[in-house]
Amino acid sequence: MSRILVVEDDEVLRNELIELLRNEGYEAEYISTFSDTAGQIIKSKPDLVLLDINIPELNGELVLRKLRKETDIPVIMVTSRTSESDEVLSMSYGADDYITKPYNPTILMLRISAVIKRTRKQDSSEADTGEKGIYQYRQAAVNTAKGTLSRGEKELVLTKNEMIIFLSLLNNIGKIVSRDELMTALWDNEEYINDNALTVNISRLRAKLSDFGYEDAIETRKKQGYCFV
């Protein structure tokens, strides 16, 4: 039985959600004080968190940001806001999904089930193969062994060179990676590549990420290099 932690300050909505989850066979718990929301979530160790954006003290997006510095617990943001920027911000902070109120209970349950199944599949893959090559970029799972990014039902396949470039940027997220550093990473993997070929590979990677929904993923810094944003 999966254990879900509800982080919602509206008592009526919280109780309705708890009842809904328990009727669907989940073990549902909640927190009622919000002075250290992130700490309480981490201590609880749930299988999934339903996190409202509009909570007291620290809002849900900032709580999510704190969580992602310490844990990869699956999080679905639940909010009454309809601003597209809130969804983009939540996803960039590492939310696994996002749903607005008033939500359709059936759709909410389907999304919860999908996130839990996806998480268990990733955990099972690592346990079965001993892989350490499972990373996270925004809301996508990065599997270096398969050379893929996956988000929900969508999957993006990268070439070996593209994955090397992708990981070089991901491992230095927020920092500038020079063209020389990227060339070295490719050479270290016995992949000969010249300067023009590097440009082509970066262009292809940027196009693939754009088609996958990450139009602004790679930022070019003139005469310096590239970085993930």
Side-chain angles (χ1 to χ4, degrees):
M1 181 186 299
S2 296
R3 190 161 57 87
I4 299 176
L5 183 66
V6 176
V7 183
E8 165 66 68
D9 64 313
D10 186 310
E11 187 176 355
V12 173
L13 292 177
R14 184 176 67 216
N15 290 341
E16 289 177 353
L17 190 50
I18 291 291
E19 182 178 2
L20 174 63
L21 291 168
R22 289 173 178 171
N23 288 340
E24 291 293 324
Y26 292 106
E27 182 182 342
E29 300 177 358
Y30 65 90
I31 63 174
S32 55
T33 60
F34 303 90
S35 58
D36 182 21
T37 304
Q40 290 184 77
I41 292 172
I42 293 169
K43 185 177 180 180
S44 178
K45 297 181 181 179
D47 296 302
L48 182 141
V49 180
L50 293 177
L51 177 58
D52 185 44
I53 286 181
N54 297 312
I55 56 174
E57 305 291 340
L58 203 62
N59 72 47
E61 288 167 340
L62 295 180
V63 169
L64 174 63
R65 193 173 187 178
K66 289 185 69 175
L67 284 176
R68 285 296 173 257
K69 293 179 179 179
E70 299 186 44
T71 179
D72 58 358
I73 294 171
V75 175
I76 296 178
M77 303 300 290
V78 183
T79 180
S80 56
R81 297 182 184 178
T82 57
S83 170
E84 189 174 288
S85 63
D86 286 321
E87 180 175 1
V88 172
L89 187 60
S90 294
M91 290 305 191
S92 69
Y93 283 171
D96 294 89
D97 206 343
Y98 184 102
I99 192 166
T100 57
K101 305 172 186 174
Y103 46 77
N104 181 305
T106 301
I107 293 177
L108 177 61
M109 291 303 110
L110 287 173
R111 292 193 175 188
I112 288 172
S113 177
V115 170
I116 290 174
K117 285 180 180 178
R118 184 167 69 243
T119 304
R120 285 180 175 171
K121 184 177 180 181
Q122 292 169 6
D123 291 345
S124 175
S125 175
E126 289 189 30
D128 291 343
T129 64
E131 290 178 6
K132 298 299 181 184
I134 305 294
Y135 297 80
Q136 186 83 18
Y137 175 64
R138 298 188 183 182
Q139 68 273 35
V142 183
N143 190 317
T144 60
K146 292 175 61 181
T148 61
L149 276 71
S150 58
R151 185 181 73 244
E153 300 298 320
K154 296 181 67 175
E155 185 174 83
L156 171 64
V157 178
L158 301 180
T159 66
K160 183 177 180 181
N161 281 353
E162 290 165 352
M163 181 58 79
I164 291 171
I165 295 169
F166 181 92
L167 289 177
S168 295
L169 296 173
L170 182 61
N171 288 330
N172 293 279
I173 197 161
K175 300 178 181 178
I176 297 172
V177 180
S178 70
R179 291 179 65 87
D180 285 344
E181 288 175 305
L182 293 175
M183 297 275 282
T184 299
L186 291 163
W187 281 8
D188 285 347
N189 284 272
E190 300 179 350
E191 290 285 338
Y192 173 76
I193 187 168
N194 59 31
D195 194 67
N196 289 335
L198 176 59
T199 300
V200 170
N201 275 272
I202 290 173
S203 296
R204 288 176 177 169
L205 176 59
R206 179 179 274 135
K208 285 186 176 182
L209 291 172
S210 179
D211 290 339
F212 195 60
Y214 300 148
E215 293 87 353
D216 61 342
I218 301 176
E219 181 176 314
T220 301
R221 297 292 181 89
K222 190 174 182 180
K223 296 183 179 180
Q224 296 182 76
Y226 307 89
C227 64
F228 265 160
V229 294

